[in-house]
Amino acid sequence: MVEFNVSGLDKVYINLLRQIQGGSTTEENLWLIETLLNHIKHYRIYESTPKIIPPFLYAYLRLICEHSQYKDLQQQEIQFCIQLLTEKFNICMEIGRDLIRALQDVAQIPEFQKIWTDLLENPNNFDPNFEGIEQILLIPTQKQCLEARITFYMEEKLNFYTNNSAIMMNTPDLSATLINFLRHLVDQYCQSLSQVMLKHVKLSMHTILSKNVIRTLHNIYNCPTFNETTRNSMKYLFGEFLNIEQKQLPMNNMNKPISPTGKSFDSVNMIPLNPRVDDILNKFKKISSDKNKKYSRQDMKDLISLCLDGV
């Protein structure tokens, strides 16, 4: 097919890419990762089909972090990603802001250190018109790149849960379990960011209610089988909606839900559409200034909080 320039070849490769299971180190999965990579490199598919560059680069940048125990495979992935970033940077930028997140995760790998440093200090090394990280941070992550990390089986399950969320919320036992589990996540998953997580849980419920996915929380709250623990969790997570939901909630643009603070958000990435990019950029520079120093846990928490907290 490659030799005869068959049309639609990009879709074939994207579909193969989506067969890769993130986090899986089974023999079959590792074989697919390596075989697909070797095929792409051998035939230089990205030259004739540049559409595949963003999803393939994004997927393999993420896979690098999963393959520290498979040095040969990891090295092939590193070389492939470095090649795309140096030869096809303008196309790589189309990934959007998740390119920066992915590069941040591999920035301590020696081969990526120069790329990371140039992004921060010498952006013109990539392209005379490239202005720096802030330019990429303003680009929403390409949908196809996010899909590249989700298998078709997983997509089917996610669609099922999404399309049947209202039905699920009508099942008392399941509803109580979900509510209490969500409360536990907000409180315990990362305590230093609990308020940030709570804010975005509230934002999500606001969107659900405004689009009538769930018409009212009162029926759920007053469910006879709910105990006080579950009701207290609902008050903690969604108290303001229990009080104001009889009023008409604003119907917002599908792609730009309004948060309780009035700021616009990208609903896919949960990142402010108009962030103070300088603040984020300065934080990146601060934690990357010492090439020999690994990011501290607090540095990373501060950066995540800055990105998520509606700056």
Side-chain angles (χ1 to χ4, degrees), residues 134-243:
E134 63 270 28
Q135 184 177 340
I136 301 178
L137 287 173
L138 291 173
I139 303 174
T141 301
Q142 193 180 97
K143 179 181 177 181
Q144 193 176 43
C145 294
L146 297 174
E147 289 177 341
R149 295 290 286 152
I150 302 175
T151 64
F152 291 104
Y153 176 77
M154 187 184 300
E155 181 182 25
E156 181 183 355
K157 295 298 182 184
L158 289 172
N159 285 335
F160 172 80
Y161 290 129
T162 302
N163 294 333
N164 293 279
S165 58
I167 297 173
M168 293 172 67
M169 290 303 288
N170 287 328
T171 307
D173 291 342
L174 180 57
S175 298
T177 301
L178 289 174
I179 291 165
N180 291 322
F181 178 65
L182 189 58
R183 170 71 186 271
H184 178 76
L185 283 180
V186 169
D187 285 346
Q188 302 297 327
Y189 181 73
C190 182
Q191 293 183 357
S192 64
L193 292 176
S194 62
Q195 290 305 306
V196 176
M197 294 177 68
L198 177 61
K199 173 182 176 179
H200 288 276
V201 167
K202 292 178 183 293
L203 174 61
S204 298
M205 181 54 71
H206 180 277
T207 303
I208 289 171
L209 290 169
S210 68
K211 299 184 186 307
N212 286 323
V213 176
I214 298 174
R215 293 188 177 183
T216 176
L217 288 178
H218 279 292
N219 292 340
I220 299 173
Y221 179 80
N222 293 320
C223 178
T225 62
F226 276 14
N227 57 29
E228 284 304 307
T229 299
T230 302
R231 289 195 175 92
N232 287 335
S233 293
M234 283 197 71
K235 289 178 184 177
Y236 177 74
L237 296 170
F238 312 124
E240 57 266 51
F241 302 117
L242 289 167
N243 293 331

Side-chain angles (χ1 to χ4, degrees), residues 53-289:
I53 291 177
F56 265 81
L57 174 61
Y58 180 69
Y60 276 91
L61 279 172
R62 290 303 194 186
L63 289 170
I64 287 171
C65 300
E66 301 175 7
H67 295 155
S68 58
Q69 296 181 344
Y70 304 91
K71 294 299 183 182
D72 290 342
L73 175 58
Q74 187 186 57
Q75 193 59 40
Q76 292 180 58
E77 294 166 344
I78 290 172
Q79 292 173 356
F80 173 67
C81 292
I82 293 291
Q83 183 179 5
L84 290 182
L85 286 165
T86 53
E87 295 180 6
K88 308 288 183 181
F89 184 74
N90 284 336
I91 300 177
C92 295
M93 282 178 57
E94 295 175 9
I95 291 174
R97 60 175 65 98
D98 265 84
L99 173 61
I100 301 303
R101 294 177 180 140
L103 287 173
Q104 182 184 353
D105 288 342
V106 298
Q108 296 303 315
I109 296 175
E111 290 88 343
F112 284 100
Q113 286 180 355
K114 184 179 187 307
I115 286 181
W116 186 248
T117 301
D118 284 345
L119 278 172
L120 294 173
E121 301 175 4
N122 305 298
N124 293 138
N125 286 356
F126 294 97
D127 185 275
N129 297 319
F130 178 52
E131 299 174 357
I133 281 181
E134 63 270 28
Q135 184 177 340
I136 301 178
L137 287 173
L138 291 173
I139 303 174
T141 301
Q142 193 180 97
K143 179 181 177 181
Q144 193 176 43
C145 294
L146 297 174
E147 289 177 341
R149 295 290 286 152
I150 302 175
T151 64
F152 291 104
Y153 176 77
M154 187 184 300
E155 181 182 25
E156 181 183 355
K157 295 298 182 184
L158 289 172
N159 285 335
F160 172 80
Y161 290 129
T162 302
N163 294 333
N164 293 279
S165 58
I167 297 173
M168 293 172 67
M169 290 303 288
N170 287 328
T171 307
D173 291 342
L174 180 57
S175 298
T177 301
L178 289 174
I179 291 165
N180 291 322
F181 178 65
L182 189 58
R183 170 71 186 271
H184 178 76
L185 283 180
V186 169
D187 285 346
Q188 302 297 327
Y189 181 73
C190 182
Q191 293 183 357
S192 64
L193 292 176
S194 62
Q195 290 305 306
V196 176
M197 294 177 68
L198 177 61
K199 173 182 176 179
H200 288 276
V201 167
K202 292 178 183 293
L203 174 61
S204 298
M205 181 54 71
H206 180 277
T207 303
I208 289 171
L209 290 169
S210 68
K211 299 184 186 307
N212 286 323
V213 176
I214 298 174
R215 293 188 177 183
T216 176
L217 288 178
H218 279 292
N219 292 340
I220 299 173
Y221 179 80
N222 293 320
C223 178
T225 62
F226 276 14
N227 57 29
E228 284 304 307
T229 299
T230 302
R231 289 195 175 92
N232 287 335
S233 293
M234 283 197 71
K235 289 178 184 177
Y236 177 74
L237 296 170
F238 312 124
E240 57 266 51
F241 302 117
L242 289 167
N243 293 331
I244 69 169
E245 64 178 8
Q246 297 303 325
K247 302 177 183 179
Q248 185 175 2
L249 288 167
M251 295 298 291
N252 307 312
N253 183 289
M254 290 292 287
N255 294 321
K256 298 181 181 179
I258 304 300
S259 75
T261 61
K263 296 179 180 178
S264 296
F265 279 79
D266 172 350
S267 60
V268 174
N269 300 296
M270 296 300 289
I271 296 294
L273 294 175
N274 296 298
R276 291 202 306 271
V277 175
D278 287 344
D279 290 346
I280 299 175
L281 182 59
N282 289 335
K283 178 62 70 173
F284 270 118
K285 289 182 177 179
K286 177 182 177 182
I287 66 176
S288 305
S289 57

Side-chain angles (χ1 to χ4, degrees), residues 46-57:
Y46 48 86
E47 295 287 359
S48 58
T49 315
K51 288 182 181 179
I52 72 168
I53 291 177
F56 265 81
L57 174 61

